[in-house]
Amino acid sequence: MAPSGSLMGTMETHIGMSRHASSTDIDTYMASLGAEARRASALMRCIDTGRKNAALRAMAQHLEASRARLIEANARDLQRGREAGLDAALLDRLALNETRFNTMLEGLAQVAALPDPVGEIDGLRSRPSGIQVGQMRVPLGVIGIIYESRPNVTVEAASLCLKAGNACILRGGSEARESNAAIAECITAGLVDAGLPEAAVQVVATTDRAAVGRLIAMPEYVDVIIPRGGKSLIERISRDARVPVIKHLDGVCHVYIDASADRDKALAIAVNAKTHRYGTCNTMETLLIDAPVAAELLPSLAAAYAEHGVELRGCERTREVLPGVAVASEDDWFAEYLAPVLAIRVVDGVDAAIAHIERYGSHHTDAIVSESYSLARRFMAEVDSSSVMVNASTRFADGFEYGLGAEIGISTDKLHARGPVGLEGLTTRKYVVLGDGHVRG
Amino acid sequence: MAPSGSLMGTMETHIGMSRHASSTDIDTYMASLGAEARRASALMRCIDTGRKNAALRAMAQHLEASRARLIEANARDLQRGREAGLDAALLDRLALNETRFNTMLEGLAQVAALPDPVGEIDGLRSRPSGIQVGQMRVPLGVIGIIYESRPNVTVEAASLCLKAGNACILRGGSEARESNAAIAECITAGLVDAGLPEAAVQVVATTDRAAVGRLIAMPEYVDVIIPRGGKSLIERISRDARVPVIKHLDGVCHVYIDASADRDKALAIAVNAKTHRYGTCNTMETLLIDAPVAAELLPSLAAAYAEHGVELRGCERTREVLPGVAVASEDDWFAEYLAPVLAIRVVDGVDAAIAHIERYGSHHTDAIVSESYSLARRFMAEVDSSSVMVNASTRFADGFEYGLGAEIGISTDKLHARGPVGLEGLTTRKYVVLGDGHVRG
């Protein structure tokens, strides 16, 4: 998982001691991870599908065989986390219980079962010059992933990068360091079993924050950075990175209920989009409702939200129908609550809805509920979000629901990958030209 | 083309006077261009194909009607350039002669004739949940293009951005300022004729370099920057940009002649790849030749290159066959000559060729000449370049030759667009989800 020798010894000491190395040590260490990854990526590019799948299955076997040891390591991380006063949500993410462990193993099997995107050639066409031109899907190269203290992400990220033919450098949250180190050993063992280079997956073996600063600034070794975590972390990484970043910022998602909407569909979607899960990025944060149906629909919606314990904050026109609702401030329209809170605004038709989404939204996922063919078509074309939906809950914006088979994250960027990112987002395409002695005239 | 009012007046004065505005003026001016472009891009997203094509045709009409005036403006730019001591190559690029003018008009007609990529939905599939999911091709938004003093690029860039549904901000080289200002008027007139927002295409009306610094650092207004020009300019822009950059760095392209190659194809390709044009990025800069055929092929190759006046620099083994050839230094293997100079290296088989390309190449375009199915397949898979060719000249790496219909540049990046970039590279894809009241369970 990491270069051997004295430096690695230093790093291991650091893990144990939780102390910081000098910045020169960190620079040397990260550069050596980078160089190893670059070398491994050149090999990984050409590894056939069967061997990659064998490595994924071997990793699962090693994880299963080490289950007790892993759960113990995780227990020590949890204990340290509790002592350090981590909040319940963080501790929950950190925990590797039996269910989550099984899901992690299933994930490996699922990724092994996915079609290999590498080598696929699209659109091979004959040109007037006589050459044939197509585009071959190929790995990106070396991917750096920076994530929070969720040990299962270590396995998820490693498996997706590997299946797409990349080498990866993984930097998990320091609270999960013992869990990650134990998982890393199983991943390495799986790579070795399948005859793949150990440096195909490297877990950064220091909790020093300077390691992140180096990882995102080595364009000679790293082709793309994928940060997963809180908005401020991602913003900082995007600002400082010297390599491209595939990022996910906030999800301020909207459902717009048009006057033409079917009442039952509108209620079902508006309730599901808010209450199915509160902490996810594709949860609706603001409900927009067309003025002619506000008086009719808002009371039923309010009753349903009350049942789920959702706090409502509304515009003045909402409060005319629902006087008990708190006033929504300008900040509420921008808010990603990630909590049982919902902003509601009465708008005048689809144009006002689109204007609101354009001004306050985060271009993540937005839905219209409407029976109007023309309005549905307009909403789909005009709303500039990574997912645009007609008569469906925003909660569907997800790699599994979309059929990607797996998801490394959801991109709110426009370039390269937009929306849920699966294996394809971890690849790129190069042109291939087949000739028979052809020259340009 | 630019906001009206007093600021614009200031800027026009600056053009005339070739003086620098205060940085506050420039900041305000660029922010206003950005805000106008952002607004225009929301409209452009939804403009139908017919209207976009009408604008392109109207631009061509206005350019044709202003031909004499444009060529006069260009003559003044050329005169000033000669007085400033511009070299012959720069003056040639700056010149807008009748032939180039006609090519520019033909370009507009060709872009109008291209299929509109916007709105195309790929892979709409039904999912087990009942929703249908597909990906719709949509404009990127606002594109900033920074280029050298080539007035025809103003029309080319504007037409491609417009056809792909984007707003653009164009910053051409200061030596072409009168030509560009005159072209900008024709573009604006064409937009107005077709009822499109004037700010869909804005030409930066100041030669102050600070404008470039601002243009690349306004993520709120600009979605992507495409720099065209010398390597140092592009490196500087990539380093300082606060938005994604689609860039073209150098083209150190290789042809590898394998021992299995057909002799005639090998000679034809090696000669064409070097001598068809010297100054282009897809020109071969290093020839790799398999040891068993070096003695047989190098003399014929050397004779052909001598006829074209190409200077050769070779490794020691090359010089054993061709004693008169100069010694190639380590720098030669890295060199993008863009000139009638060629480095030649004798290598031991395809592995050594691939290793050389990996070490010294720029991942632009590399070709193998071989009759071996297995080696061709390996070369295609293992060489990590934007274009990989079998038995074809590297000179084919070009948007027109590949059938893209047009080309905004060739990307040496891996993410988003790799290789020749046409209309598709100026778009992105968002997910569309069609349901019928579907909620997530």
Side-chain angles (χ1 to χ4, degrees), chain B residues 2 11 31 48 56 69 93 113 121 128 133 142 176 190 235 251 262 274 310 330 345 364 400-401 419 422:
Chain B
M11 289 302 141
D48 64 44
L56 294 171
R69 197 166 57 79
R93 288 171 178 203
I121 296 182
V133 181
V142 177
E235 283 179 334
D262 176 280
K274 183 69 229 179
V310 174
E330 183 78 358
R345 186 171 201 174
H364 189 299
F400 291 92
E401 293 293 340

Side-chain angles (χ1 to χ4, degrees), chain A residues 35-97:
Chain A
E36 292 286 337
R38 180 59 80 207
R39 267 191 290 277
S41 81
L43 297 169
M44 289 300 294
R45 235 185 355 251
C46 318
I47 298 291
D48 65 45
T49 312
R51 193 108 72 94
K52 291 188 284 192
N53 291 344
L56 294 169
R57 284 191 297 266
M59 287 174 193
Q61 284 159 8
H62 285 284
L63 286 165
E64 182 58 272
S66 312
R67 183 189 283 255
R69 196 165 57 78
L70 278 173
I71 289 182
E72 280 167 31
N74 185 248
R76 288 192 296 275
D77 282 336
L78 282 168
Q79 179 58 30
R80 225 181 13 255
R82 273 188 295 269
E83 287 164 13
L86 292 192
D87 68 30
L90 284 176
L91 287 170
D92 175 59
R93 289 171 178 203
L94 176 56
L96 203 54
N97 55 30

Side-chain angles (χ1 to χ4, degrees), chain B residues 313-385:
Chain B
R313 301 182 190 172
C315 66
E316 281 311 319
R317 291 160 85 186
T318 301
R319 284 159 41 83
E320 285 168 20
V321 183
L322 305 171
V325 162
V327 183
S329 69
E330 183 78 358
D331 285 349
D332 281 298
W333 310 128
F334 286 111
E336 184 183 21
Y337 299 118
L338 298 171
V341 182
L342 176 69
I344 304 182
R345 186 171 201 174
V346 176
V347 295
D348 293 309
V350 73
D351 287 311
I354 293 174
H356 178 101
I357 292 169
E358 177 81 9
R359 167 141 192 225
Y360 297 104
S362 66
H363 306 286
H364 189 299
T365 299
D366 298 293
I368 184 174
V369 189
S370 169
E371 292 301 310
S372 159
Y373 166 84
S374 302
L375 294 188
R377 197 160 173 265
R378 276 195 55 201
F379 192 88
M380 279 214 292
E382 297 186 18
V383 171
D384 185 30
S385 299

Side-chain angles (χ1 to χ4, degrees), chain A residues 265 383 414 428 430 436, chain B residues 265 383 414 428 430 436:
Chain A
K265 296 178 195 170
V383 172
K414 284 186 173 180
T428 181
K430 69 183 179 191
D436 192 28
Chain B
K265 294 178 196 170
V383 171
K414 283 185 175 180
T428 180
K430 68 184 180 191
D436 192 28

Side-chain angles (χ1 to χ4, degrees), chain A residues 38 42 45-46 121 127-129 131 133 135-142 223-224 238-239 242 244-246 265 268-269 272-273 276 282 354 358 371 377 379-393 395-404 413-421 424 427-441, chain B residues 38 42 45-46 121 127-129 131 133 135-142 223-224 238-239 242 244-246 265 268-270 272-273 276 282 354 358 371 379-393 395-404 413-421 424 427-441:
Chain A
R38 180 59 80 207
R45 235 185 355 251
C46 318
I121 296 182
R127 298 289 308 149
S129 62
I131 59 172
V133 181
Q135 285 180 285
M136 183 192 279
R137 198 161 280 288
V138 293
L140 281 173
V142 177
D223 294 295
V224 60
S238 304
R239 196 189 56 227
R242 301 274 298 111
V245 175
I246 298 177
K265 296 178 195 170
I269 290 167
N272 182 265
H276 183 251
N282 55 18
I354 293 174
E358 176 81 8
E371 293 301 311
R377 197 161 173 264
F379 192 89
M380 279 214 292
E382 296 186 18
V383 172
D384 185 30
S385 299
S386 72
S387 287
V388 182
M389 305 190 167
V390 179
N391 293 344
S393 168
R395 284 283 296 135
F396 281 113
D398 172 284
F400 292 92
E401 294 292 341
Y402 284 1
L404 307 185
D413 289 322
K414 284 186 173 180
L415 268 74
H416 186 68
R418 196 175 186 194
V421 181
E424 197 177 288
T427 64
T428 181
R429 293 194 303 174
K430 69 183 179 191
Y431 282 96
V432 290
V433 175
L434 307 179
D436 192 28
H438 288 87
V439 297
R440 195 157 162 199
Chain B
R38 180 60 80 208
R45 228 175 14 240
C46 317
I121 296 182
R127 297 289 307 148
S129 62
I131 60 172
V133 181
Q135 285 180 286
M136 182 192 278
R137 198 161 280 286
V138 293
L140 281 172
V142 177
D223 294 295
V224 60
S238 303
R239 195 189 57 227
R242 301 274 298 111
V245 175
I246 299 177
K265 294 178 196 170
I269 290 168
N272 183 262
H276 184 252
N282 55 17
I354 293 174
E358 177 81 9
E371 292 301 310
F379 192 88
M380 279 214 292
E382 297 186 18
V383 171
D384 185 30
S385 299
S386 72
S387 288
V388 183
M389 306 190 167
V390 179
N391 293 345
S393 168
R395 284 283 296 134
F396 281 114
D398 171 284
F400 291 92
E401 293 293 340
Y402 284 2
L404 307 184
D413 289 324
K414 283 185 175 180
L415 268 75
H416 186 68
R418 195 176 189 195
V421 181
E424 197 177 288
T427 64
T428 180
R429 293 194 303 175
K430 68 184 180 191
Y431 282 96
V432 290
V433 175
L434 306 179
D436 192 28
H438 289 87
V439 298
R440 193 156 163 198

Side-chain angles (χ1 to χ4, degrees), chain A residues 27-350:
Chain A
D27 283 1
T28 313
Y29 172 62
M30 293 307 293
S32 98
L33 291 190
E36 292 286 337
R38 180 59 80 207
R39 267 191 290 277
S41 81
L43 297 169
M44 289 300 294
R45 235 185 355 251
C46 318
I47 298 291
D48 65 45
T49 312
R51 193 108 72 94
K52 291 188 284 192
N53 291 344
L56 294 169
R57 284 191 297 266
M59 287 174 193
Q61 284 159 8
H62 285 284
L63 286 165
E64 182 58 272
S66 312
R67 183 189 283 255
R69 196 165 57 78
L70 278 173
I71 289 182
E72 280 167 31
N74 185 248
R76 288 192 296 275
D77 282 336
L78 282 168
Q79 179 58 30
R80 225 181 13 255
R82 273 188 295 269
E83 287 164 13
L86 292 192
D87 68 30
L90 284 176
L91 287 170
D92 175 59
R93 289 171 178 203
L94 176 56
L96 203 54
N97 55 30
E98 296 287 345
T99 315
R100 210 168 267 173
F101 201 96
N102 293 338
T103 308
M104 199 165 78
L105 298 184
E106 277 163 32
L108 281 168
Q110 280 169 9
V111 173
L114 287 176
D116 188 342
V118 175
E120 186 182 306
I121 296 182
D122 290 331
L124 191 71
R125 287 197 185 88
S126 295
R127 298 289 308 149
S129 62
I131 59 172
Q132 288 178 292
V133 181
Q135 285 180 285
M136 183 192 279
R137 198 161 280 288
V138 293
L140 281 173
V142 177
I143 300 179
I145 301 188
I146 298 158
Y147 52 102
E148 296 167 303
S149 294
R150 294 173 58 192
N152 50 322
V153 171
T154 306
V155 172
E156 208 177 289
S159 64
L160 289 170
C161 288
L162 184 144
K163 182 72 181 240
N166 298 290
C168 63
I169 301 175
L170 308 179
R171 173 42 150 88
S174 57
E175 297 84 358
R177 59 182 175 268
E178 290 203 49
S179 315
N180 282 340
I183 289 172
E185 283 175 28
C186 298
I187 291 175
T188 304
L191 290 168
V192 170
D193 284 0
L196 298 189
E198 290 186 35
V201 181
Q202 296 178 99
V203 175
V204 175
T206 166
T207 56
D208 193 314
R209 287 204 168 194
V212 173
R214 280 301 298 155
L215 182 57
I216 64 175
M218 309 193 293
E220 64 279 28
Y221 298 131
V222 176
D223 294 295
V224 60
I225 290 287
I226 304 180
R228 292 175 52 156
K231 193 179 173 183
S232 67
L233 170 79
I234 293 174
E235 283 179 334
R236 201 166 57 243
I237 287 173
S238 304
R239 196 189 56 227
D240 298 339
R242 301 274 298 111
V243 296
V245 175
I246 298 177
K247 66 177 172 297
H248 172 272
L249 290 172
D250 40 0
V252 181
C253 303
H254 301 77
V255 172
Y256 164 62
I257 301 177
D258 184 67
S260 68
D262 175 280
R263 301 323 186 230
D264 294 335
K265 296 178 195 170
L267 285 173
I269 290 167
V271 171
N272 182 265
K274 182 71 231 179
T275 67
H276 183 251
R277 274 183 71 186
Y278 296 111
T280 48
C281 59
N282 55 18
T283 296
M284 167 178 67
E285 303 292 13
T286 297
L287 175 67
L288 301 171
I289 185 159
D290 202 0
V293 292
E296 179 192 346
L297 288 181
L298 281 177
S300 325
L301 283 163
Y305 289 130
E307 249 177 65
H308 286 88
V310 174
E311 178 198 335
L312 304 181
R313 302 181 190 171
C315 66
E316 280 312 318
R317 291 159 87 184
T318 301
R319 284 159 42 82
E320 283 168 22
V321 184
L322 304 172
V325 162
V327 183
S329 70
E330 183 78 358
D331 284 350
D332 281 298
W333 309 129
F334 286 112
E336 184 182 21
Y337 299 118
L338 299 172
V341 182
L342 177 69
I344 304 183
R345 186 171 202 175
V346 176
V347 294
D348 294 309
V350 73

Side-chain angles (χ1 to χ4, degrees), chain B residues 179-192:
Chain B
S179 315
N180 282 340
I183 288 172
E185 282 175 30
C186 298
I187 292 175
T188 305
L191 290 167
V192 170

